[in-house]
Amino acid sequence: MKNNEFLKLISSEKPLLADGAMGTLLHERGISFDACFDALNLSDPSVIGAVHREYIDAGAQLILTNTFGANAYKLGKHGLVDKLHAINTAGVELARRVVMASFKDVLIAGDIGPLGVRLAPFGRVLPEEARQIYSEQAKALLEADVDLLVFETMTDLYEIREAIQAAKALSPQVPVVASMTFTRDDRTLLGDNPRKVAKALISYGADVIGVNCSGGPNQLLRILREMRSVLPDEKYWVKPNAGWPEQMGGRIFYPASADYFGDYTKSFWKAGVDVIGGCCGTTPDHIASMRKFLDSEQTIEANGIKFPSAEIPVEEKSRIKPTRLARKLDKGKFIFAVEMNPPRGLSTHKLLAGASLLADAGADVIDVADSPMARMRMSPWAVCSLIQRKVKIETVLHFPTRGRNLLRVQGDLLAAHALKVRNIFVVMGDPTAIGDYPEAMDDFDLAPSGLVKLIKQGFNHGIDHAGTEIGQPTSFFVGCALNLTASDPQRNLRVLRRKIKGGADFVLTQPIYSTQPLDKFKALYEEKYGEFPIPIFAGILPLVSDRHAAFLQQEVPGIDIPESIHKHMRLAGETGAQEGIRFAIDLINELKERSGGIYLMPAFNRFDYAAEIIEQTGE
């Protein structure tokens, strides 16, 4: 089985192109919708082979077997249950013969559709019964050696859960695509929205998730974006219908033309699709139109951004001035970055006094958070501008993607640049559910990796998300976030790698209390990708008491404090803050040979503690 080839191909720059509709073409050739299409694998293999061949000739890199309805329930309606294994096996072998005859590298996906019955609690079929039926069909397809399994046009999360788990029980390594269909209101028949569906499919064990059938490209693009808004780093499959079907003179027509599909291929690619094809109403002409676009377009990147592949012209480079932070890093200086929160109200006196204290102590930059803990505070652009003008120290603007659509993202970037704020820290941001306004909008159009790419390969080239010139290039210096103790290190590596390839200039980490997490992560990265290419600012959050240490350990994800430090903090009692400062100083001295700087987060706005730490560890 070549399942690794499928996973490799969908990690490439361009989307993988799948085939189009089978039933539409069979009906055009005189086969009634009342017939059992799957049985044609045995009774009329030439007509199925011809459809496969036309899609391969059109440029499809993946074809689905003619086994969509070859499960025991649907075959039972035609009296063909005893032919289940033979029909599925013939479907795979027929597809393989066509692929071999084409002399092209085309993957074969075992196609499995819904059972055609309702599962409990909405029907009489028990989950374990459904799983057994799915297992029977999946086993036949796997034994025939398909490259992957596709569960498509599903409407019920209970049902697709049993399907995915049946497949994974048979072969944990086989790639599984889970694709749902939606009604006109962007909900499944059982009322689930795209966000819930995406999270559920991943939790069930699907490797690739997505949507097929439903309406035309416009609706599926909208659903894809909804899914990616909650799971931006997963792999996505999309096969739209050729529009909503219309019935005229006893025949069914689909309005979307092949050229229309070709045009929409760009939008799906920009939105981050990994596999694209067609469903009901689509033909080899639709697939050929999509192939033509994919072969001719060379500049689309993932996460919704279109940029030229060329380097920045020399005349533009001369206008892009590096920030002071960038120049200090180029000279090898160990950086002290200190986080400050904007005020809750109008007064900025305390904030400016704290920034002045930190600047005098030797801080290199002030990091200004944006609505930390999703609580309402003054806009960080204003705070950054005030600090830079009043205190004469450079700032880093925290720029969360959460809660910002594409219009606001780009407008905010232009505003920041106009205020001479040029260092940007891109982060997802805290969910609104934990803050002052849990009902507030929590959507976003770009993941952090996409925003890094938009800034470094778009705005810094002088173009916006749509490819329109913005007058002159910006000169942003961009940082990204890193959790050194993530539960899934390999996925964490992939996400960080995407940010680095997008152009990230530096990394800020969550708080650490020993050098071990940093050493371990860098070793993991270097083993896979080579030398770590950009500076890391290790997060330092000085402890102030035993209770503070216990809270961080027990309630803040991603923080691990060694037991030896907990013990010292318990023994320190009322001198806990000084003990916390001592630990921070010792750790910073160890980090000087391991990182490009530190990202100091003073607890409870104790900027005096931060100043003391900088003075004792700075140059």
Side-chain angles (χ1 to χ4, degrees), residues 19 32 35 61 80 93 108 203 235 295 306 316 333 378 414 447-448 461 469 481 519 532 581 590:
D19 60 10
S32 169
Q61 299 163 279
L80 296 170
E93 292 177 348
I108 299 172
S203 72
K235 298 296 184 182
D295 288 344
K306 180 178 185 297
E316 290 186 3
K333 185 181 187 304
M378 183 182 288
L414 292 175
H461 281 247
E469 292 187 5
D519 292 341
F532 200 88
I581 290 173
E590 291 185 67

Side-chain angles (χ1 to χ4, degrees), residues 179-198:
S179 180
M180 300 287 285
T181 186
F182 293 77
T183 61
R184 287 180 183 267
D185 63 354
D186 294 356
R187 297 290 188 275
T188 66
L189 284 174
L190 296 181
D192 297 315
N193 64 47
R195 296 181 176 203
K196 178 180 178 181
V197 167

